[in-house]
Amino acid sequence: MTIIEKARELGVMIQQDDRYIAYNVAKEANDSDEELQQMINDFNLLRLNLNAEMSKPDKSSEKIAEYDQKVKEKYNQIMANENMINFTKAQNAMNNLLAQLNNIITYSANGEDPMTCPVETPSCSGSCSTCGGCG
């Protein structure tokens, strides 16, 4: 079996993982939530208006502040939506899984033992004298 075939096998396993399934269920719920989609469209329009105002040579500080406030309010409304909360949670779990897989692959490619290399990225203390993580 080639490395590419193993990668495809891993891809199948990823798609069978509960985190992947939860992510897709949450994504579908988001996509079919008409109220949420309208809020996202409104948010994008407000951002465009804010950017347009900021790009003007004769920009108005008052309008910029007003648009900025509206953008923040709309963002908070979006993030408070139950489907968005579920999606964000599922997306974070999926991103964490992918980061763990990437760590194993990266450490292995750098000569570490695939069976014992860390799954989590070590946090950096800033002192290289006590760390062997960056290589």
Side-chain angles (χ1 to χ4, degrees), residues 75-125:
Y75 176 82
N76 289 335
Q77 288 176 354
I78 291 168
M79 297 312 290
N81 177 283
E82 183 178 349
N83 285 327
M84 183 56 78
I85 291 168
N86 293 336
F87 174 76
T88 301
K89 182 179 176 184
Q91 184 179 44
N92 289 341
M94 190 66 202
N95 287 342
N96 188 44
L97 171 64
L98 295 175
Q100 290 175 336
L101 295 173
N102 186 53
N103 282 338
I104 293 170
I105 292 167
T106 300
Y107 277 103
S108 298
N110 287 323
E112 298 287 330
D113 179 356
M115 303 312 277
T116 61
C117 63
V119 186
E120 303 293 333
T121 304
S123 59
C124 181
S125 68

Side-chain angles (χ1 to χ4, degrees), residues 2 5 29 55 65 75 110 127 135:
T2 69
E5 290 169 330
S55 298
Y75 176 82
N110 287 323
S127 173

Side-chain angles (χ1 to χ4, degrees), residues 15-58:
Q15 291 178 347
Q16 294 170 348
D17 188 271
D18 290 341
R19 290 162 285 200
Y20 175 85
I21 294 167
Y23 170 78
N24 279 302
V25 167
K27 184 178 182 309
E28 179 60 35
N30 264 11
D31 291 347
S32 62
D33 184 335
E34 292 179 20
E35 181 183 346
L36 176 60
Q37 292 306 312
Q38 185 60 53
M39 285 191 290
I40 291 170
N41 288 338
D42 294 346
F43 172 80
N44 288 331
L45 183 60
L46 287 167
R47 259 191 6 199
L48 285 173
N49 289 339
L50 174 61
N51 290 337
E53 186 61 36
M54 291 174 69
S55 298
K56 289 180 181 178
D58 59 338

